């Protein structure tokens, strides 16, 4: 039986009436995305259709999920909200703080030893406030959510950008910062700009070596890392319905890599099969009662150009296996000869040292079984493994079932390391090197979602390429980045030329899923007696002090850093070893912008302090300005804040005295996070004004007292020689978001309202 079945029945009970009303008000057939959005309005008294990409709308999500790295700050904020219990079903999943090194049992024990303080904190807070808790080793948040909580037609938010994975089960699931989650946990509306809609029509059918992963790798090539910003991507067509539910999840998962608000598929037979296989027949039965409401109206898919803002068509029968990377998930290359040419021209190492299979993107039973079919062929055909191989099962249920069915033993026969059911290398939790900064240039292939520099192992020289699990396995076995399993032969241990056959696998385990202990701890019905202790001397946890309002006058602010080129949340607030400080704002602020490239000297973590003209690290320089009572400004390029939802990338600059971030364009989640923390997130009205910003600049905001929706702000930029430039900056703040700024943060406003 499903978790929260009464809540799901309630959603379905309201959905038909609300969708019918929305169709009437909008005056046209509806996409699935619109059906879910309109049926989850905070105020269900719908009077007009919302304008895509313009109107801010209040929603009422059905549930929330948090992973351990982001849950710390989210729950520290919720503890200030003045509530006794979360208002909607909420879960915490411990998957980020487990480092991959020796193997599952050893690594899990080590994590429980070194992070016990954090795990105990999360467990006690969960117990106190009615939150479901998934223990370390239970699995990766998004795989566990797909197996237990996702349901067609639902809306959820999660404090991780890959919350979008649940779109594989027909949800609108959106990654947010912790402050957004706190709003909903406290029983308040959640605000989102009504998304634009991108339709992806899938024709044909996947076969051979081509996998669902290749669909999203192709979409990433087409749309690039910012092409989905502000939009929901809705997949449809015969190619969509022919795909497995977990395959759909893979595609939706990597929608985060194109900046999409989320991605989703209409309810179909594969989703019903998955629900029943994961012990949720009750959800499938309820979904079947309103089946036509859980996908788009027929007219939409028949004439998609009339109903979507953009339409892409991909013929799966013609799609080839792809490798995306290095250093960005949208640089796409076909396997084989094309890679030989491109790698040679760009001096990418052709020898592959590691293949990694897993992460929230590709760690299902189906993924492991297809990769294992390739591994088994290596054993049967006498092919010696040329690279090392690592496996991260997605959940304890997947691991237990795969172990029962002999899948893990196949990998172990090739000396693969079976890591914990956790994120591991995907988010930098991989103890590959003792000194990653000085590690050699090399290539790895993985089935993860992101491949930014230093992301997996901390080594800036690691060239990471993204592929399907089966292609990852084949390339790791061959040891060559340009190996094409469709055409290329390998020499086995007897000197014979052999080729791989096409991979095979199971959509669902033939003998059903099985698990001994899934790792779930239910909260007490009344947790009022639970005491949550935070040691004031802890280096891992720190109770929050509310931010003071920046005020309506910013004069004499100094440039902290002008970031050059790509500046993701990994550049602003690195993961890896820094994950241990995610619950301690002051300590983790020591990684603030240390990965951003200074536009003036092209170095990282080396900026000028205008107070003494000395150069130092970004956090140290920011602390010097803050101690002197001087506000600072950060300047950036396009798609600033791309990547993870981590709100630390907004909280750290705020904590260190940054008043405003001025860029050419923002990634959606990061812009919202800045707003939530009471900062100014601004964009150049004229992108060329980025070039006017000089290293010794001082900033005076001339009309901040008149801060209002839709009204640009004017900044006087004073250069070291006394000359001045007056620039205009735009913003997307509405009235309520301006109140966040005036109060110092959204949380301050919540506390004020609750008081």
């Amino acid at each position: 039986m499903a978790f929260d079945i009464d809540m799901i029945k309630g959603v379905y009970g309201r959905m038909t009436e609300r969708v019918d009303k929305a169709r009437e008000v909008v005056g046209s057939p509806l996409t699935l995305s619109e059906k879910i959005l309109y049926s989850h309005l905070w105020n269900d008294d719908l009077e007009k259709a919302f304008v895509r990409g313009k109107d801010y709308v209040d929603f009422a999500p059905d549930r929330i999920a948090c992973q351990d790295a982001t849950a710390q700050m989210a729950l520290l904020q919720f503890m200030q909200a003045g509530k006794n219990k979360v208002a909607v079903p909420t879960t915490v999943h411990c998957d980020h703080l487990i480092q991959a090194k020796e193997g599952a049992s050893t690594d899990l024990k080590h994590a429980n030893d070194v992070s016990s303080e954090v795990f105990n904190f999360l467990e006690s807070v969960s117990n106190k406030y009615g939150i479901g808790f998934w223990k370390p080793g239970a699995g990766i948040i998004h795989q566990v959510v797909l197996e237990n909580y996702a349901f067609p037609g639902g809306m959820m938010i999660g404090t991780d950008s890959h919350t979008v994975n649940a779109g594989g089960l027909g949800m609108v699931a959106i990654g947010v910062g912790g402050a957004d989650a706190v709003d909903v946990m406290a029983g308040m509306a959640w605000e989102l700009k009504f998304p634009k809609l991108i339709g992806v029509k899938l024709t044909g059918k996947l076969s051979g070596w081509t996998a669902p992963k290749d669909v999203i790798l192709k979409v990433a090539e087409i749309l690039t890392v910012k092409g989905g910003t502000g939009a929901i991507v809705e997949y449809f067509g015969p190619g969509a319905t022919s795909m497995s539910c977990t395959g759909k999840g893979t595609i939706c998962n990597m929608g985060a890599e194109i900046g999409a608000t989320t991605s989703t598929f209409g309810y179909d037979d594969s989703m019903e099969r998955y629900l029943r296989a994961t012990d949720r027949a009750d959800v499938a039965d309820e979904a079947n009662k309103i089946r036509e409401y859980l996908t788009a109206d027929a007219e939409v898919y028949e004439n998609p150009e009339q109903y979507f803002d953009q339409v892409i068509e991909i013929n799966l029968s013609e799609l080839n296996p792809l490798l995306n990377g290095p250093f960005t998930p949208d640089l796409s290359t076909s396997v084989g000869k094309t890679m030989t040419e491109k790698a040679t021209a760009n001096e990418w190492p052709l020898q592959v040292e590691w293949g990694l299979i897993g992460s929230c993107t590709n760690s299902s039973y189906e993924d492991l079984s297809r990769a294992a079919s390739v591994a088994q062929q290596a054993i049967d055909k006498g092919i010696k493994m040329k690279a090392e191989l690592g496996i991260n099962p997605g959940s304890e249920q997947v691991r237990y079932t795969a172990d029962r069915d002999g899948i893990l033993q196949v990998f172990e026969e090739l000396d693969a390391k079976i890591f914990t059911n956790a994120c591991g290398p995907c988010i930098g939790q991989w103890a590959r090197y003792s000194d990653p900064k000085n590690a050699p240039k090399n290539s790895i292939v993985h089935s993860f979602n992101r491949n930014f520099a230093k992301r997996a192992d901390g080594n800036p020289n690691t060239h990471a390429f993204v592929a399907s699990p089966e292609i990852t396995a084949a390339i790791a076995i061959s040891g060559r980045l340009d190996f094409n399993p469709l055409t290329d032969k390998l020499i086995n241990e007897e000197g014979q030329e052999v080729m791989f056959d096409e991979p095979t696998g199971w959509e669902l385990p033939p003998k059903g899923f099985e698990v001994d202990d899934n790792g779930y701890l239910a909260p007490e019905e009344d947790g009022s007696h639970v005491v949550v202790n935070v040691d004031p001397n802890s280096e891992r946890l720190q109770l929050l002090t509310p931010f003071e309002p920046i005020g309506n006058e910013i004069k004499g602010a100094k440039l902290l850093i002008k970031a050059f080129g790509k500046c993701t949340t990994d550049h602003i607030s690195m993961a890896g070893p820094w994950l241990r400080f995610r619950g301690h704002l002051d300590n983790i602020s020591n990684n603030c912008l240390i990965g951003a490239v200074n536009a003036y000297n092209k170095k990282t973590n080396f900026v000028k302090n205008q107070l003494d003209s000395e150069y130092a690290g970004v956090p140290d320089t920011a602390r010097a300005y803050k101690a002197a009572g001087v506000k600072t400004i950060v300047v950036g390029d396009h798609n600033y804040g791309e990547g993870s939802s981590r709100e630390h990338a907004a909280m750290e600059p705020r904590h260190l005295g940054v008043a405003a971030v001025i860029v050419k364009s923002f990634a959606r989640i990061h812009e919202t996070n800045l707003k939530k923390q009471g900062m100014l997130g601004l964009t150049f009205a004229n992108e060329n004004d980025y070039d006017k910003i000089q290293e010794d600049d001082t900033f005076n905001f001339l009309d901040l007292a008149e801060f209002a929706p839709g009204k640009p702000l004017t900044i006087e930029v004073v250069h070291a020689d006394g000359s001045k430039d007056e620039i205009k900056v735009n913003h997307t703040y509405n009235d309520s978001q301006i109140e966040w700024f005036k109060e110092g943060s959204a949380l301050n406003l919540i506390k004020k309202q609750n008081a």
Side-chain angles (χ1 to χ4, degrees):
M1 182 173 173
F3 286 93
D4 309 306
I5 185 62
D6 290 336
M7 177 270 284
I8 295 171
K9 288 180 178 179
V11 172
Y12 288 167
R14 298 185 295 270
M15 193 165 192
T16 55
E17 181 182 350
R18 291 187 176 189
V19 169
D20 289 344
K21 177 68 180 296
R23 194 184 289 114
E24 177 184 326
V25 172
V26 173
S28 74
L30 298 178
T31 64
L32 168 65
S33 305
E34 290 172 307
K35 289 182 180 181
I36 298 175
L37 292 170
Y38 278 111
S39 65
H40 284 83
L41 297 177
W42 180 258
N43 180 359
D44 63 357
D45 186 18
L46 183 64
E47 297 179 351
K48 68 178 183 68
F50 295 110
V51 180
R52 299 175 190 170
K54 181 178 180 182
D55 288 343
Y56 280 96
V57 182
D58 286 340
F59 292 100
D62 301 314
R63 67 175 314 111
I64 293 168
C66 308
Q67 39 92 337
D68 49 355
T70 55
Q72 296 171 64
M73 200 58 71
L75 295 182
L76 284 165
Q77 291 177 88
F78 180 73
M79 289 166 64
Q80 295 188 39
K83 296 291 184 178
N84 296 323
K85 197 170 186 177
V86 291
V88 302
T90 303
T91 52
V92 166
H93 305 255
C94 295
D95 62 355
H96 273 55
L97 297 178
I98 304 169
Q99 190 179 54
K101 185 178 182 180
E102 303 295 337
S105 60
T106 302
D107 294 345
L108 181 58
K109 182 181 183 303
H110 178 71
N112 279 319
D113 289 341
V114 300
S115 294
S116 59
E117 178 186 15
V118 173
F119 294 146
N120 291 338
F121 166 76
L122 294 174
E123 183 179 340
S124 62
V125 176
S126 297
N127 204 17
K128 184 175 183 66
Y129 294 107
I131 298 169
F133 182 75
W134 290 81
K135 297 183 294 185
I140 305 172
I141 175 173
H142 310 303
Q143 180 66 30
V144 173
V145 165
L146 197 71
E147 292 176 17
N148 295 277
Y149 298 113
F151 65 98
M155 172 185 271
M156 70 174 288
I157 59 174
T159 60
D160 188 285
S161 57
H162 292 104
T163 300
V164 295
N165 188 82
L169 204 35
M171 292 195 89
V172 161
I174 301 173
V176 299
D180 276 353
V182 170
D183 284 354
V184 179
M185 286 191 277
M188 301 176 67
W190 173 64
E191 183 185 71
L192 177 72
K193 185 182 288 185
F194 204 83
K196 293 185 177 182
L197 300 176
I198 298 174
V200 180
K201 183 178 182 180
L202 302 178
T203 61
K205 189 174 183 180
L206 294 172
S207 62
W209 285 91
T210 310
K213 183 67 160 237
D214 298 304
V215 177
I216 185 57
L217 296 181
K218 185 65 177 179
V219 171
E221 176 190 9
I222 295 168
L223 289 177
T224 77
V225 291
K226 61 180 181 178
T229 303
I232 292 179
V233 182
E234 185 171 324
Y235 293 84
F236 63 94
T241 54
S242 69
M243 227 179 288
S244 69
C245 178
T246 52
K248 293 179 174 72
T250 291
I251 293 170
C252 292
N253 181 291
M254 276 194 68
E257 275 53 71
I258 58 172
T261 301
T262 192
S263 304
T264 194
F265 286 77
Y267 179 57
D268 62 15
D269 291 346
S270 72
M271 295 184 191
E272 180 179 355
R273 290 193 297 272
Y274 188 75
L275 285 169
R276 296 190 187 281
T278 52
D279 199 26
R280 289 175 289 171
D282 45 357
V283 178
D285 291 341
E286 294 299 321
N288 286 341
K289 294 176 184 177
I290 60 164
R291 197 177 183 101
E292 67 272 22
Y293 287 85
L294 300 176
T295 189
D297 291 332
E299 300 93 325
V300 171
Y301 292 161
E302 289 168 2
N303 300 287
E305 290 80 6
Q306 295 181 26
Y307 303 100
F308 291 98
D309 298 292
Q310 180 180 355
V311 177
I312 296 167
E313 184 168 338
I314 298 174
N315 186 340
L316 303 185
S317 301
E318 298 174 356
L319 186 63
N320 294 317
L322 298 170
L323 278 167
N324 282 27
F327 307 130
T328 185
D330 59 352
L331 179 57
S332 190
T333 307
S334 294
V335 299
K337 184 180 178 182
T338 306
M339 176 57 78
T340 309
E341 297 166 352
K342 192 179 288 188
T344 302
N346 291 282
E347 297 184 348
W348 301 337
L350 281 168
Q351 179 185 348
V352 172
E353 296 190 3
W354 271 88
L356 297 159
I357 296 169
S359 90
C360 61
T361 322
N362 282 105
S363 55
S364 67
Y365 184 91
E366 180 181 33
D367 291 325
L368 296 184
S369 69
R370 285 181 64 84
S373 77
V374 178
Q376 184 65 58
Q377 290 185 58
I379 297 167
D380 296 342
K381 296 174 186 283
I383 306 169
K384 186 177 180 181
M385 191 89 186
K386 300 296 193 305
E388 295 188 75
L389 186 64
I391 310 293
N392 281 84
S395 69
E396 176 58 15
Q397 178 168 265
V398 166
R399 187 211 65 80
Y400 190 97
T401 306
D403 190 44
R404 178 202 68 190
D405 294 348
I407 290 173
L408 297 187
Q409 289 89 322
V410 173
F411 295 125
E412 289 170 336
E413 198 166 336
L414 290 178
D415 291 327
K417 283 190 177 179
I418 310 299
F419 293 125
T420 315
N421 315 318
C423 302
C426 183
I427 46 93
Q429 285 285 54
W430 186 20
R432 183 184 179 193
Y433 299 110
S434 58
D435 182 13
K437 291 181 181 178
N438 295 311
K441 187 175 181 179
N442 72 103
S443 288
I444 65 173
V445 177
H446 59 56
S447 70
F448 306 161
N449 38 49
R450 293 198 173 126
N451 57 352
F452 305 140
K454 299 192 280 189
R455 171 98 181 171
D457 57 13
N459 177 9
N461 298 312
T462 292
H463 294 55
F465 296 84
V466 183
S468 67
E470 45 268 60
I471 289 293
T472 298
I475 287 179
I477 292 165
S478 74
R480 291 278 300 184
L481 187 64
D482 56 353
F483 175 69
N484 184 352
L486 287 77
T487 59
D488 295 352
K489 296 177 180 179
L490 294 172
I491 306 298
N492 68 9
E493 293 182 290
E494 296 180 2
Q496 300 168 327
E497 287 189 339
V498 294
M499 284 186 67
F500 285 116
D501 301 318
E502 292 179 353
T504 59
W506 299 97
E507 175 185 351
L508 296 163
K511 294 188 288 185
F513 283 108
E514 190 176 347
V515 67
D516 183 26
D517 175 10
N518 66 3
Y520 175 70
L521 296 177
E524 295 186 33
E525 188 64 33
D526 180 6
S528 59
H529 68 283
V530 177
V531 177
V532 179
N533 292 315
V534 175
D535 184 348
N537 297 314
S538 171
E539 67 167 17
R540 299 289 300 271
L541 296 166
Q542 180 187 49
L543 294 176
L544 293 175
T545 301
F547 290 131
E548 293 291 330
I550 289 171
N552 62 7
E553 185 175 277
I554 299 176
K555 303 287 185 183
K558 301 296 185 182
L559 179 71
L560 177 61
I561 185 172
K562 177 179 173 180
F564 174 79
K566 185 187 282 281
C567 192
T568 72
T569 48
D570 276 28
H571 295 85
I572 305 168
S573 174
M574 290 183 179
W578 290 95
L579 285 171
R580 64 194 304 267
F581 297 124
R582 283 285 179 87
H584 197 294
L585 181 56
D586 192 56
N587 282 346
I588 198 168
S589 292
N590 288 322
N591 81 357
C592 183
L593 286 157
I594 64 175
V597 177
N598 182 351
Y600 305 107
N601 56 26
K602 302 301 187 290
K603 295 181 179 180
T604 58
N605 203 28
F606 197 66
V607 296
K608 186 174 183 178
N609 181 343
Q610 295 184 46
L611 301 179
D612 59 13
S613 296
E614 297 293 327
Y615 283 82
V618 180
D620 291 338
T621 304
R623 290 183 190 276
Y625 282 127
K626 183 178 180 181
V630 177
K631 294 182 174 68
T632 50
I633 306 295
V634 171
V635 172
D637 209 315
H638 274 299
N639 209 29
Y640 183 88
E642 168 195 344
S644 167
S645 68
R646 66 189 66 149
E647 65 182 341
H648 299 76
M651 295 185 78
E652 291 173 31
R654 179 74 164 100
H655 176 66
L656 295 180
V658 175
V661 179
I662 309 171
V663 301
K664 293 180 182 178
S665 65
F666 282 108
R668 175 191 64 84
I669 300 176
H670 187 65
E671 182 182 21
T672 301
N673 287 345
L674 292 172
K675 293 178 179 180
K676 285 281 185 176
Q677 301 305 331
M679 297 174 69
L680 292 172
L682 309 169
T683 55
F684 291 104
N686 179 354
E687 289 183 5
N688 293 330
D689 285 345
Y690 169 91
D691 299 321
K692 294 179 179 179
I693 307 303
Q694 299 175 21
E695 191 171 25
D696 293 297
D697 281 349
T698 299
F699 299 79
N700 299 315
F701 284 66
L702 303 182
D703 49 7
L704 188 55
E706 301 162 26
F707 192 18
K711 182 181 179 182
L713 293 172
T714 307
I715 303 175
E716 179 186 67
V717 184
V718 183
H719 306 303
D721 62 2
S723 63
K724 300 176 182 179
D725 279 305
E726 196 169 283
I727 66 172
K728 292 286 186 181
V729 291
N730 296 326
H731 66 85
T732 60
Y733 288 74
N734 58 26
D735 286 322
S736 62
Q737 293 169 347
I738 290 174
E739 286 303 308
W740 300 343
F741 174 75
K742 290 179 178 178
E743 292 295 332
S745 71
L747 182 59
N748 287 353
L749 186 61
I750 292 175
K751 290 171 63 179
K752 183 177 180 179
Q753 292 169 338
N754 286 338

